[in-house]
Amino acid sequence: MAFELYHNDMSTCAMKVRLVLAEKGLEWEGHHMDLRAGDTRTKKYIENLNPGGVVPTLVDDGVIIYESTVIMEYLDDAYPDLPLRPTDPQELARMRLWTKQLDEGVHAATGTISVCIAFRYQMIGDRNEAEVNSFIDKIPDPVRRERSRNAILRGVGSSYFAPAILRFEKLWNDIERALGNQAWLAGGTYSLADAAYTPYITRFDHLQLLGILETRPRLADWYERIKARPSYDEALRKWFNPKYLPLMEEKGNEARQHVQEIIAKAT
């Protein structure tokens, strides 16, 4: 059996789905979408595969599923061998509370941080101002479109940047606290919650923002255990884009002091 997966190498949402596929040992055929070239914003992709104009999109025997959290749960429902959801009702509820947060602000905060610090330089490139705005205007969702415009044009001076940093400060504290009671985010076993959050701490790693681990030993241990899983190599590390990583490192180092000042001012 082979799925079709429309994805991007460095997309956090695509990483989540690739992790689930890897954990379950499911084979898939990939269609890599170049986000900087606007591959997901074409009329054909939006009308036929994903109305949001984003990745990932999974096609399973002709059935189209989009939204990464939905895809993750679909895969666990449709292919229950090696389940990634707890059987205990309380742990299952905790897992869903973690994944629910992603769609209620955490993922948007990640996009803001990534664009403000590093990706804006790729998005602007050699484009003039009119071309940059034309590129942004093709984002289907008006809320995401204007948030992206602010982040791309203003960088770490964006009005969205500091709130995004502070949203993650809360998240890391919440995870550190949760891991004081159990080995994994939802309980005693690795679950969809752990897969879902892996790309986000990895993004902080790439942006040179892992100073967050200095006062959070449980989070640091969780990240090391996550990286030691075979699925991390298969779903994430082998896809790390060498054109992205140097830029993220350089601009992350430049932004780190500003990030620290935002956190210090809020505490």
Side-chain angles (χ1 to χ4, degrees), residues 10 15 36 114 117-119 122 202-209 241 243-255:
M10 297 294 285
M15 289 178 186
R36 302 295 174 262
S114 302
I117 292 178
F119 292 166
Q122 294 175 326
T202 298
R203 178 59 53 82
F204 266 59
D205 193 349
H206 289 163
L207 290 171
Q208 308 302 301
L209 297 178
N241 190 325
K243 293 181 180 179
Y244 281 48
L245 298 184
L247 174 67
M248 296 168 79
E249 180 178 358
E250 176 191 353
K251 298 304 179 182
N253 281 326
E254 291 176 5

Side-chain angles (χ1 to χ4, degrees), residues 25 37 41 62 64 103 105 113 116 135 163 194 263 267:
R41 300 179 190 175
I64 298 169
D103 297 330
I113 292 168
C116 287
F135 172 79
D194 301 286
I263 295 169
T267 56

Side-chain angles (χ1 to χ4, degrees), residues 112-156:
T112 295
I113 292 168
S114 302
V115 171
C116 287
I117 292 178
F119 292 166
R120 64 188 297 261
Y121 296 96
Q122 294 175 326
M123 294 170 173
I124 293 172
D126 296 328
R127 296 180 173 103
N128 59 37
E129 184 176 352
E131 290 169 335
V132 171
N133 278 299
S134 177
F135 172 79
I136 297 168
D137 287 341
K138 294 177 183 176
I139 298 174
D141 177 16
V143 174
R144 187 165 65 91
R145 181 168 60 241
E146 293 315 307
R147 186 175 64 238
S148 296
R149 192 186 311 277
N150 191 292
I152 293 168
L153 298 181
R154 299 186 60 190
V156 296

Side-chain angles (χ1 to χ4, degrees), residues 49-64:
L49 287 166
N50 191 312
V54 295
V55 291
T57 302
L58 182 78
V59 182
D60 181 9
D61 194 23
V63 177
I64 298 169

Side-chain angles (χ1 to χ4, degrees), residues 26-239:
L26 297 172
E27 296 182 1
W28 52 278
E29 176 187 349
H31 303 276
H32 186 264
M33 310 298 283
D34 186 338
L35 304 184
R36 302 295 174 262
D39 285 358
T40 63
R41 300 179 190 175
T42 66
K43 182 178 180 181
K44 180 179 179 181
Y45 183 76
I46 290 171
E47 290 186 352
N48 297 332
L49 287 166
N50 191 312
V54 295
V55 291
T57 302
L58 182 78
V59 182
D60 181 9
D61 194 23
V63 177
I64 298 169
I65 305 110
Y66 48 87
E67 296 296 334
S68 57
T69 301
V70 175
I71 296 172
M72 293 170 74
E73 293 226 17
Y74 169 81
L75 289 170
D76 213 48
D77 283 332
Y79 304 92
D81 290 345
L82 300 174
L84 293 175
R85 282 184 292 191
T87 55
D88 177 80
Q90 293 184 12
E91 292 189 1
L92 181 59
R94 281 198 293 270
M95 185 213 82
R96 285 183 169 140
L97 284 171
W98 283 115
T99 58
K100 187 171 185 286
Q101 287 186 60
L102 290 174
D103 297 330
E104 294 180 343
V106 171
H107 178 69
T110 308
T112 295
I113 292 168
S114 302
V115 171
C116 287
I117 292 178
F119 292 166
R120 64 188 297 261
Y121 296 96
Q122 294 175 326
M123 294 170 173
I124 293 172
D126 296 328
R127 296 180 173 103
N128 59 37
E129 184 176 352
E131 290 169 335
V132 171
N133 278 299
S134 177
F135 172 79
I136 297 168
D137 287 341
K138 294 177 183 176
I139 298 174
D141 177 16
V143 174
R144 187 165 65 91
R145 181 168 60 241
E146 293 315 307
R147 186 175 64 238
S148 296
R149 192 186 311 277
N150 191 292
I152 293 168
L153 298 181
R154 299 186 60 190
V156 296
S158 166
S159 58
Y160 294 98
F161 186 69
I165 291 294
L166 296 179
R167 177 64 187 89
F168 268 94
E169 272 296 286
K170 180 182 184 305
L171 175 67
W172 303 137
N173 286 335
D174 290 344
I175 291 178
E176 179 72 12
R177 191 178 307 112
L179 292 172
N181 301 317
Q182 63 240 0
W184 300 98
L185 290 184
T189 58
Y190 179 95
S191 74
L192 293 180
D194 301 286
Y197 279 86
T198 295
Y200 297 91
I201 192 166
T202 298
R203 178 59 53 82
F204 266 59
D205 193 349
H206 289 163
L207 290 171
Q208 308 302 301
L209 297 178
L210 281 192
I212 59 166
L213 299 180
E214 294 174 3
T215 57
R216 299 175 175 103
R218 299 186 190 99
L219 178 62
D221 175 69
W222 175 81
Y223 186 38
E224 289 303 314
R225 288 186 284 121
I226 285 287
K227 290 190 293 181
R229 298 178 74 86
S231 62
Y232 191 90
D233 284 341
E234 180 65 25
L236 273 73
R237 192 173 279 121
K238 74 180 271 187
W239 290 97

